[in-house]
């Protein structure tokens, strides 16, 4: 882990969008609140900051060097295909329909905000404490129509089901992985 990076969890890197589902903070805000942020509104400002923070946590699920290497490989991939006459070898990303929050931004924000509260054994509440909210959201979504998908039986006779909970989306899993290393490193003053 590159702990000596002073910009760790504070900025996105060129190429993050090639590894993590990206939806801009304005679009996430619109989809969660069904309107644009109101200037000078404390709650809206807190929401915008929270959205940016969970996006950065998802980006930092991968180290700077991994993102840079993946970007270089992507540039090589495009160059090879362009030399062969393929104008656009990569499909366009988005726009993502996040109107029903299938990516899990609400749950991520709900986990991130308590992470800035004082902890019992550390300066801040740790990931292991806030992850209980993830379980709550998953359990609740499983009680709703469409929350659980098809079931299947494994070789040992164990039955498993596909979960359609937002906390199992690829984006949310990246957010969770990034937040494990990032929480407590810095915090924003937010009036809650």
């Amino acid at each position: 882990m590159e702990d000596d990076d002073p910009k760790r969890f504070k900025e996105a890197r060129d190429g993050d969008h090639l590894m993590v589902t990206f939806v801009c903070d304005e679009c996430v805000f619109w989809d969660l609140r069904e309107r644009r942020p109101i200037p000078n509104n404390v709650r809206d400002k807190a929401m915008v900051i929270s959205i940016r923070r969970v996006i950065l946590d998802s980006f930092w699920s991968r180290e700077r060097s991994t993102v840079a290497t993946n970007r270089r490989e992507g540039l090589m991939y495009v160059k090879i295909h362009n030399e062969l006459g393929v104008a656009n070898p990569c499909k366009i990303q988005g726009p993502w329909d996040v109107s029903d929050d299938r990516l899990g931004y609400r749950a991520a924000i709900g986990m991130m905000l308590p992470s800035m509260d004082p902890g019992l054994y550390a300066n801040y509440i740790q990931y292991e404490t806030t992850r209980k909210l993830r379980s709550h959201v998953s359990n609740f979504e499983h009680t709703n129509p469409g929350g659980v998908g098809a079931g299947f039986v494994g070789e040992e006779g164990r039955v498993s089901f596909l979960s359609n909970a937002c906390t199992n989306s690829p984006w949310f899993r990246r957010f969770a992985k990034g937040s494990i290393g990032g929480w407590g490193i810095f915090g924003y003053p937010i009036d809650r």
Side-chain angles (χ1 to χ4, degrees), residues 15-81:
D16 274 324
H17 69 291
L18 301 172
M19 298 188 75
V20 178
T21 303
F22 175 72
V23 179
C24 75
D25 18 12
E26 285 189 25
C27 293
V28 174
F29 186 95
W30 180 271
D31 290 327
L32 296 179
R33 294 274 184 89
E34 298 179 350
R35 63 175 174 78
R36 297 185 69 125
I38 299 169
N40 301 320
N41 181 299
V42 175
R43 286 184 175 182
D44 286 2
K45 185 176 181 180
M47 178 63 91
V48 170
I49 290 170
S50 298
I51 292 167
R52 176 69 53 92
R53 173 78 187 267
V54 298
I55 290 171
L56 287 172
D57 281 350
S58 72
F59 285 162
W60 280 93
S61 65
R62 296 292 187 253
E63 293 297 330
R64 186 179 294 278
S65 58
T66 304
V67 172
T69 299
N70 188 66
R71 182 178 175 274
R72 278 193 306 275
E73 293 299 321
L75 291 172
M76 177 66 76
Y77 178 79
V78 169
K79 180 182 176 202
I80 289 168
H81 282 83

Side-chain angles (χ1 to χ4, degrees), residues 70 144 161 166 171:
N70 188 66
N144 290 305
F161 293 91
C166 67
W171 180 85

Side-chain angles (χ1 to χ4, degrees), residues 2-22:
E2 302 166 6
D3 287 331
D4 58 341
D5 188 342
K7 295 183 178 180
R8 187 175 187 77
F9 295 97
K10 295 180 182 178
E11 70 175 9
R13 292 79 46 98
D14 195 9
D16 274 324
H17 69 291
L18 301 172
M19 298 188 75
V20 178
T21 303
F22 175 72

Side-chain angles (χ1 to χ4, degrees), residues 123-178:
N123 291 338
Y124 300 97
I125 290 175
Q126 300 300 299
Y127 176 82
E128 289 301 314
T129 301
T130 62
R131 74 176 177 82
K132 295 172 188 172
L133 181 109
R134 178 183 188 172
S135 296
H136 163 74
V137 171
S138 295
N139 289 332
F140 179 74
E141 286 199 14
H142 293 154
T143 68
N144 290 305
V148 177
F152 56 94
V153 179
E155 287 184 25
E156 294 83 35
R158 294 181 64 185
V159 177
S160 297
F161 293 91
L162 298 175
S163 170
N164 295 324
C166 67
T167 53
N168 291 319
S169 75
W171 180 85
F172 192 91
R173 295 177 70 77
R174 290 290 173 107
F175 155 75
K177 184 174 182 181

Side-chain angles (χ1 to χ4, degrees), residues 79-100:
K79 180 182 176 202
I80 289 168
H81 282 83
N82 284 342
E83 288 173 358
L84 295 173
V86 178
N88 187 8
C90 300
K91 292 184 178 182
I92 296 173
Q93 295 176 303
W96 285 89
D97 177 12
V98 293
S99 58
D100 62 352

